[in-house]
Amino acid sequence: MDAIFTSTLTVTLAEMGDKTQLLSLLLVTRLQKPWQIIAGILIATLLNHGISAWFGSWISQFLTSDMGQTIINTSFIAVGLWLLIPDKDDAPNTSLDKYGAFVVSLVLFFIAEIGDKTQIATVVLAAQYQSFLWVTMGTTLGMLLANVPVVFAGNYIMQRIPFSLTRVFAAVVFIAIGVYGFF
């Protein structure tokens, strides 16, 4: 249960102000198909985070020693520090629009998550908890909790949430998990 709770919480917080929220806002304002966009986000996240969680679970077999645990805990702290760096807004490719909101959302979200903080966090969480299923479910739920509200009420939410504060809070959570692991 810790795996799904921690995965959900950390990814939800890490996504606040992330480029995927900006992508959600852009897609809904341009394509105006919220349910198709949400379906694209869901499938892209399940695929991307599923692969990441599988990799994290697989690599955890090599990290069972004290040195391995040090690497995992240090990775949590590193991701926490990385969260303090704001994302840059990457403009999506409009040539995909002809394929519809679902395909555009799926492709752009999958690509946006490659090498993203939450993908790296998913690998680290899966290595920590050695749980492909619960980490994938938790990180996917966290992604949806952060992005679905933007799809439905994007402009309203984006103007009222202090993203710098949520980014700092998310960083503190990741760093605390890493420090806790050392003790």
Side-chain angles (χ1 to χ4, degrees), residues 35-52:
W35 291 109
Q36 290 180 28
I37 293 167
I38 291 167
I41 293 169
L42 173 63
I43 301 303
T45 304
L46 281 170
L47 291 171
N48 190 295
H49 289 201
I51 292 166
S52 302

Side-chain angles (χ1 to χ4, degrees), residues 60-125:
S60 71
Q61 66 186 325
F62 305 107
L63 301 174
T64 56
S65 67
D66 287 339
M67 177 59 88
Q69 289 304 306
T70 299
I71 291 169
I72 290 171
N73 294 327
T74 303
S75 296
F76 269 106
I77 294 168
V79 170
L81 294 172
W82 187 13
L83 285 171
L84 295 172
I85 302 168
D87 281 333
K88 294 178 185 157
D89 183 18
D90 298 328
N93 185 351
T94 56
S95 67
L96 293 174
D97 288 359
K98 64 185 174 190
Y99 297 107
F102 171 74
V103 172
V104 170
S105 300
L106 181 123
V107 169
L108 291 179
F109 262 83
F110 187 85
I111 291 170
E113 280 297 295
I114 294 174
D116 193 52
K117 292 173 247 193
T118 51
Q119 184 187 41
I120 305 302
T122 301
V123 172
V124 174
L125 286 161

